Amino acid sequence: MQTIDLATQTLRDMNATLQAQTDQTNATQWDIENPRGAHAIAVGLDAPIEVTVRGSTGYYCAGMNKQATVHVTGSAGPGVAENMMSGTVIIDGDASQYAGATGRGGLLVIKGNAASRCGISMKGIDIVVQGNIGHMSAFMGQAGNLVVCGDAGDALGDSLYEARLFVRGSVKSLGADCVEKDMRPEHLEILRDLLDRAGVDAKPEEFRRYGSARNLYNFDIDNAAAY
Amino acid sequence: MNEHDKRIPQTVPIQSATFSNPINAEIRRAAATGIYDIRGGGAKRKVPHFDDLLFLGASISRYPLEGYREKCDTSVTLGTRFAKNPIKLDIPITIAGMSFGALSAQAKEALGRGASAAGTSTTTGDGGMTEEERGHSQTLVYQYLPSRYGMNPDDLRRADAIEIVVGQGAKPGGGGMLLGQKISDRVAEMRTLPKGIDQRSACRHPDWTGPDDLEIKILELREITGWRVPIYVKVGGTRPYYDTALAVKAGADVVVLDGMQGGTAATQDVFIENVGLPTLACIRPAVRALQDLGMHREVQLIVSGGIRTGADVAKAMALGADAVAIGTAALIALGDNDPKWEAEYQKLGTTTGAYDDWHEGRDPAGITTQDPELAARLDPVDAGRRLRNYLKVMTLEAQTIARACGHNHLHNLEPEDLCALTMGAAAMAQIPLAGTDWYPGKPGTAY
């Protein structure tokens, strides 16, 4: 286990050290102590290492992650795992706005709640939120899966493209062009896999699926009122 | 004299200036289609521009340099504030961001070839980085756009600079509009969207909401790229003083300021023509913001939007810019709207010089298209050579003017070298009206 103490080392040194790890590294376990809400912790990683952040983080923790597993034992600020490409990010507490924004791959698990715009513009990432999510989540979501074990706020999936949304609790309102869809066997299978990988004890059958009605994919004046 | 001859003469029919033929045609088009006009290019209306300024060459009170003989440096270094590796260019004319998707791969390659041969940089666009442009661009600026189409940390690290696009001169506050017909398999894959659907590029960044967030975003990008490369912030020209000041406060190495004559791949005509400030009106407030913060020349200013000639380059620099960027002019240099395709332009219902339906993907010149047959018309080597020649000519023109004003570096051009032809230009550029020492709003005057 390697330890980096942000009380004594700089953010730059920490990120440079983690970013220097390669696929062949033997130093696969890293502990980050005293994060104290710092921004841009463990960003731009590109190696199969496991990083545990002991505490809460500021903005953009694990931004653009590739391959690495980043585990935050506290809560995460805005933009956690933004544009993640692959790997896994786990937040024990809550996540602030735009968690997993524009993420392209990998798995983001939020054990608490996520604030507004969770999964905004998501492009392939899988996000599992064990609590609730705020308004405008998955806005313009292009691809990937957003699983919400609790409730969803206003305007879920507004202007949605091809991202899949699964919600177990209530949905305050759906956004433009977002509709409830049938839960077919393949969706139950996708959801079961996601719940397993996220370590969530829930039955896929308890969830409802939402997706794009695809009415707004090509502009038509008759749909103008929907915008 | 018969009855007919006794009639009172009719007045000559007069077209309404308000309801002109083009306006009436647009009303009929909107009524027929139910959709606003979408097009590429920049503002077509005439607004105060660099043409409304003149240089005051040297005579007795100033001492000129010998044209084509005495040295006039054109080099520029961008990103000297924080970046370990600032951008060093031979000429202060860069290629503005234009996306693969909007442009063909051949056009992107040609831009890279031409710019590299002239010693300057190219810029990616809304759609990610292609091998064509990375491979042929000696210096490549990677745009970080609200849509984040194709955003990839590996490409981020392969870039020589990062340009965070907040806005664009043709559509400040607006997003993009790539219609379904241009979405080829490759474009669809790069943008993670189904083929054939309209692709809206978001008007705002999804994961930040203001200048304080921008500061933290810049920190993140610097941490990911090891503080190696400069971070540009590009804004559309609307509130240049405050936007420049906030970009500097957020930590930008370079501010890119795009006036309303700046081009775009596709957006609403009403937006292009009615939103934003003329480029001429943007520069002095931005420079003043930099000066007020003690950052002029420390944070570099790139100005774009309707730059066409070496005179435009020299005027922008005299007003305080460190460099300029060209987009539409570069496409014309490659061969867009070339009269040799006139017959085909006419088949599309337009004519050479007016073709702007770039979003339809039927560009006869093979530049703003994803149609493989049309795109194959553009020879990237030949087109790159044309762009290189054009950039060289612009540079020579700017040098000629600078020498005539007595300067041995383009950066030594100053407002004192200029006069304005119109009151409007004098006010916007804060340059004295020709033959006077006065401009509207000049401190210390009664006006």
Side-chain angles (χ1 to χ4, degrees), chain A residues 174-194:
Chain A
L174 294 175
D177 213 28
C178 183
V179 294
E180 184 173 352
K181 294 191 162 184
D182 292 340
M183 187 75 98
R184 297 197 300 268
E186 67 264 33
H187 302 120
L188 291 170
E189 200 51 45
I190 290 168
L191 184 52
R192 184 172 292 111
D193 174 61
L194 285 167

Side-chain angles (χ1 to χ4, degrees), chain A residues 11-12 15-16 19 39-40 43-46 59-60 63-64 66 79 82-83 85 97-98 101-102 104 117 120-121 123-124 136 139-140 142-143 159 161-162 216-219 221 227, chain B residues 33-36 144 147-154 156-157 180 190-194 196-200 202 204-209 213 216-217 219-224 226-227:
Chain A
L11 180 79
R12 181 80 288 268
N15 278 324
Q19 289 164 1
H39 306 314
V43 296
L45 306 189
D46 189 8
Y59 279 62
Y60 306 125
M64 299 200 197
K66 283 179 75 181
E82 70 90 13
N83 213 84
M85 306 296 288
Q97 300 180 94
Y98 21 91
T102 77
R104 294 181 142 69
R117 307 209 242 175
I120 187 169
S121 234
K123 301 172 196 291
M136 291 296 282
F139 173 67
M140 290 179 84
Q142 295 176 213
S159 301
Y161 289 102
E162 293 295 301
L216 305 181
Y217 274 14
N218 293 93
F219 184 83
I221 189 63
Y227 297 104
Chain B
T33 64
I35 186 171
Y36 37 58
Y144 187 75
S147 72
R148 310 275 169 85
Y149 288 140
M151 185 63 225
N152 184 319
D154 294 334
L156 203 68
R157 288 184 279 257
M190 285 181 72
R191 300 189 180 209
T192 327
L193 282 168
I197 69 168
D198 300 343
Q199 297 192 359
R200 289 168 295 166
R204 56 184 187 265
H205 284 266
D207 59 356
W208 55 271
T209 53
D213 285 7
I216 304 167
K217 174 56 71 177
L219 169 70
E220 183 206 10
L221 294 174
R222 285 209 169 100
E223 282 296 318
I224 289 173
W227 292 72

